[in-house]
Amino acid sequence: MDSKKTDSYRTLARPSEVAFFKDRKSKFYGYAFPITEEDDVKPILQQLKKKHHTANHLCYAWQLGIENKGYRANDDGEPMNSAGMPIYGQIKAKELTNVLVVVVRIFGGTKLGVGGLIQAYRTTAQMVLEASPIVEKKVLRKFVLHFGYEDMDKVMRIIKQHQLEIVSQQLQTNCTYTIAVRKDKAQQIAAIFSTLHKVKVGKLD
């Protein structure tokens, strides 16, 4: 867990443009993507394999999570730690999370050596991240509210007053709202809703 504050995090606003780097006829194409879960990775890799069907290596690294980060680095057949870890190093250097960086290599006929590969993958990752739009997002906590229709106005007044996000709502016999709250305001908001005696407040995460 990071020692820094964990009420916000840095990630990408949108997928990057391609970055291009060349060393001794080997071509390196860099891409960066915002992701929210590990399942996002495979479809992106498949898409890039189709785009670069002559590529020899498709190396990548990702980092996910805010308070408890997880990562993976993949060399895709390059010498161990010569590709994935240099890419991951750039993700860490930019203090990013929920991000995937992929570097595609098309071999040019001349071996670069481990040192050359590390430099090429690191440089390409650095280039694509420096050209990517980075945003700082607030960490959100989700609460579920259970209440009757007679308390709808009171609940909506609090939601509007504190500019809370309604993630989902179910209006059946009773009302169930899932709301998203900034982490640093979560306890305060939960306490406000708890003062409404007929409103039950449950924490999702």
Side-chain angles (χ1 to χ4, degrees):
M1 181 171 173
D2 281 356
S3 58
K4 296 182 180 180
K5 64 175 185 175
T6 55
D7 61 344
S8 64
Y9 61 98
R10 285 161 51 88
T11 190
L12 300 186
R14 58 184 179 274
S16 70
E17 299 293 329
V18 62
F20 177 72
F21 178 75
K22 190 174 182 180
D23 186 359
R24 284 165 280 180
K25 297 183 180 180
S26 274
K27 297 176 182 178
F28 297 83
Y29 298 88
Y31 300 87
F33 303 87
I35 57 174
T36 56
E37 57 186 11
E38 188 175 347
D39 288 344
D40 294 340
V41 174
K42 189 175 180 180
I44 293 171
L45 297 178
Q46 289 174 337
Q47 191 176 20
L48 289 176
K49 283 177 182 177
K50 288 180 183 177
K51 184 179 179 72
H52 296 280
H53 58 275
T54 61
N56 304 88
H57 305 279
L58 199 144
C59 306
Y60 64 89
W62 54 255
Q63 180 154 267
L64 281 166
I66 292 97
E67 296 175 39
N68 296 296
K69 293 184 175 70
Y71 78 93
R72 185 176 177 190
N74 190 302
D75 296 312
D76 193 33
E78 294 282 33
M80 186 180 294
N81 295 331
S82 67
M85 287 308 290
I87 296 170
Y88 177 60
Q90 292 306 304
I91 294 174
K92 287 182 68 178
K94 290 287 186 183
E95 298 182 328
L96 298 172
T97 192
N98 291 4
V99 63
L100 165 69
V101 177
V102 184
V103 178
V104 179
R105 181 190 182 192
I106 298 176
F107 183 55
T110 302
K111 291 187 176 181
L112 305 184
V114 171
L117 289 173
I118 290 172
Q119 178 67 22
Y121 282 104
R122 181 171 57 213
T123 299
T124 309
Q126 181 181 21
M127 287 170 62
V128 74
L129 288 177
E130 284 182 351
S132 297
I134 294 171
V135 292
E136 186 164 317
K137 291 189 175 183
K138 290 291 182 182
V139 179
L140 299 178
R141 289 285 181 262
K142 290 179 183 176
F143 291 95
V144 61
L145 308 173
H146 301 283
F147 55 94
Y149 281 96
E150 67 274 13
D151 289 305
M152 173 76 78
D153 288 345
K154 294 177 184 177
V155 170
M156 288 307 300
R157 196 177 302 124
I158 294 170
I159 288 173
K160 288 177 181 177
Q161 183 182 350
H162 295 276
Q163 299 179 322
L164 306 178
E165 177 190 350
I166 299 174
V167 178
S168 66
Q169 55 185 339
Q170 293 179 349
L171 305 176
Q172 296 174 350
T173 309
N174 289 305
C175 306
T176 301
Y177 276 21
T178 301
I179 59 168
V181 182
R182 279 172 45 175
K183 180 188 173 186
D184 55 351
K185 300 283 186 184
Q187 288 186 332
Q188 175 193 346
I189 298 299
I192 291 170
F193 279 115
S194 295
T195 63
L196 303 176
H197 299 301
K198 293 183 181 179
V199 178
K200 292 182 180 179
V201 183
K203 191 175 179 181
L204 289 183
D205 59 11

